[in-house]
Amino acid sequence: MENCVSREAALSLLKKYNKEHFHIQHALTVEAVMRWFANELGFGSDADFWATAGLLHDVDFEQFPDQHCAKAPELLAEIGASDALVHAVCSHGYGLVSDVAPEHLMEKVLFASDELTGLIGAAALMRPSRSVQDMELKSLKKKYKDKKFAAGCSREVIAKGAEMLGWTLDELMDKTLQAMRASEADVAAELARVAQ
């Protein structure tokens, strides 16, 4: 998959429509997680494309929450995004706000890991370290089972994503946790740079 959008253009589009620290941090986290998955699953040559889809998946959410995924194609057109990128971005809201189904492995990974990164991020904030570095799978599973914790993170979507990928829930959680551990410091550094 060819990535015709530079990271600079993608980041500038993200910042044009997203001002809240939380949304920018989430975008950078999902970007890093998608890059990790691309490399881990043998799609290293497409890692930039996977990462761009992660960075821009919620581009329309902050300013147009009622048109989430419906407004995205219009915004993505501003940077000449390919049909493949538009499809990937719109498919992450499948069954919730979009009828564009995830088809490629990359789209399924984005669908599955998006909500989960939010859950893991919320769980990290509850830890004394405020980090994922010392988080274990069993404590993440406990948070997942507690429906009151990070209630906005849909367990149904996470479970459906694992199923789409043909992975167990544990597998999806473990891999996403590894991805977030591997990229935590880089995301923090990038957030500090971008938020200036």
Side-chain angles (χ1 to χ4, degrees):
M1 289 177 180
E2 196 181 319
N3 199 24
C4 58
V5 172
S6 71
R7 183 170 191 273
E8 198 182 346
L11 192 57
S12 123
L13 186 73
L14 177 77
K15 287 174 71 180
K16 178 176 176 181
Y17 292 103
N18 291 268
K19 307 297 178 198
E20 285 183 32
H21 180 273
F22 173 80
H23 289 147
I24 292 174
Q25 182 178 23
H26 176 63
L28 293 172
T29 300
V30 178
E31 174 191 33
V33 164
M34 289 298 290
R35 182 176 295 284
W36 184 92
F37 270 113
N39 288 314
E40 181 71 12
L41 299 174
F43 294 88
S45 59
D46 288 331
D48 286 346
F49 183 79
W50 286 49
T52 304
L55 184 66
L56 292 175
H57 77 286
D58 276 347
V59 69
D60 61 0
F61 184 70
E62 187 179 308
Q63 287 193 25
F64 310 98
D66 297 339
Q67 295 173 273
H68 185 35
C69 291
K71 190 77 173 169
E74 185 188 320
L75 307 188
L76 292 168
E78 292 181 27
I79 55 169
S82 65
D83 290 347
L85 182 58
V86 173
H87 192 280
V89 166
C90 294
S91 73
H92 91 276
Y94 180 63
L96 300 167
V97 292
S98 168
D99 55 7
V100 178
E103 291 166 10
H104 300 286
L105 180 65
M106 179 271 284
E107 295 173 337
K108 293 173 184 176
V109 170
L110 179 59
F111 179 90
S113 62
D114 174 28
E115 294 283 309
L116 186 51
T117 60
L119 183 71
I120 294 171
L125 292 177
M126 304 298 290
R127 303 179 70 76
S129 65
R130 295 181 72 80
S131 166
V132 292
Q133 297 305 324
D134 57 356
M135 189 186 296
E136 290 179 6
L137 180 59
K138 66 175 189 230
S139 69
L140 174 59
K141 284 167 71 174
K142 212 177 280 179
K143 295 290 188 197
Y144 176 87
K145 284 179 184 149
D146 176 4
K147 300 285 192 282
K148 289 192 184 85
F149 178 77
C153 297
S154 169
R155 274 54 171 183
E156 203 180 307
V157 167
I158 295 168
K160 190 175 174 183
E163 195 183 310
M164 262 184 209
L165 288 162
W167 298 350
T168 63
L169 200 50
D170 279 17
E171 226 179 322
L172 174 63
M173 285 184 177
D174 186 47
K175 286 181 193 300
T176 308
L177 196 49
Q178 283 181 55
M180 286 180 71
R181 272 196 213 113
S183 58
E184 188 175 54
D186 290 342
V187 169
E190 180 66 350
L191 186 62
R193 186 186 74 80
V194 164
Q196 288 171 357

